[in-house]
Amino acid sequence: RKVILGGDYLQLPPTFRDDQRSFAESVEEGQIQAEDFRRFERLVTASYFQELFEAAPEVNRDVLRTQYRMHTDILGIVNQFYDGRLQAGGGEEALNADRQHHLTVRDRRRGFLLEPHNHVLWIDSTHDANGRLAFEQQSGTSKANSLEVEILVKTLLRLNAALRERG
């Protein structure tokens, strides 16, 4: 009998819910004492998948480090979480040549939000259009940020328009 597990514990962090709160929120709100956090820290900060992976004999585990999906500019950001161990499949030049978007998107001030040589787009969502600070709101068991949703929708509409223009 064999079991094959596949996954990435860096992409799926452990979660812990108690009475609809995250463990960290419960500590911050005084629902759980800091010493209890330290006592249960391993439980809420390490995934069971990671534990199983690290406990398996070396001969029974493998890590895929070659990726073919993203431009190396994006890979450079992702690699911050992988200690620089991910590599561009087929080499950086070949991967980058295959991962061009060829888009030019103007921002609302008629500058450029995105150009063909840009493959990473950072957008500041700290303040709304009127200069007011934007905050997350609790929505059930999740947090929501309506400004981020608004920015995302507008950005996707601009990208969609640029794709339409490109044909």
Side-chain angles (χ1 to χ4, degrees):
R1 301 179 79 186
K2 293 182 181 182
V3 174
I4 297 175
L5 296 175
D8 185 341
Y9 54 82
L10 292 175
Q11 291 187 29
L12 300 170
T15 56
F16 178 88
R17 295 280 181 203
D18 180 32
D19 191 28
Q20 307 302 319
R21 283 183 193 77
S22 75
F23 197 82
E25 288 169 330
S26 296
V27 171
E28 286 173 16
E29 295 170 7
Q31 301 292 320
I32 297 174
Q33 300 302 312
E35 58 270 9
D36 288 334
F37 175 79
R38 284 187 291 281
R39 197 169 101 215
F40 295 109
E41 185 173 17
R42 196 181 121 270
L43 174 68
V44 297
T45 59
S47 75
Y48 187 56
F49 183 88
Q50 180 179 6
E51 266 186 50
L52 290 173
F53 179 81
E54 291 172 351
E58 184 79 31
V59 69
N60 291 348
R61 53 185 161 134
D62 201 2
V63 177
L64 303 176
R65 301 207 187 280
T66 305
Q67 69 81 30
Y68 299 87
R69 299 180 305 168
M70 65 190 95
H71 189 279
T72 58
D73 289 353
I74 300 168
L75 175 62
I77 294 168
V78 173
N79 244 339
Q80 300 297 310
F81 301 97
Y82 293 89
D83 298 322
R85 293 177 296 197
L86 296 180
Q87 301 169 355
E92 288 187 14
E93 276 188 43
L95 184 63
N96 289 347
D98 287 344
R99 297 292 174 246
Q100 296 297 314
H101 57 75
H102 306 286
L103 297 177
T104 299
V105 180
R106 294 210 174 260
D107 64 18
R108 64 177 183 241
R109 289 180 227 108
R110 302 301 299 153
F112 293 103
L113 184 65
L114 185 68
E115 295 179 87
H117 63 277
N118 302 120
H119 299 279
V120 175
L121 180 59
W122 296 99
I123 300 174
D124 184 356
S125 62
T126 308
H127 297 88
D128 66 16
N130 298 319
R132 291 182 301 247
L133 277 173
F135 295 98
E136 294 177 333
Q137 297 86 33
Q138 191 71 34
S139 177
T141 60
S142 301
K143 293 193 182 283
N145 186 316
S146 57
L147 178 60
E148 288 178 356
V149 172
E150 179 184 332
I151 290 170
L152 179 63
V153 168
K154 287 179 180 179
T155 302
L156 289 173
L157 289 171
R158 284 188 180 118
L159 288 170
N160 193 43
L163 284 168
R164 240 188 339 270
E165 284 177 27
R166 192 168 176 269

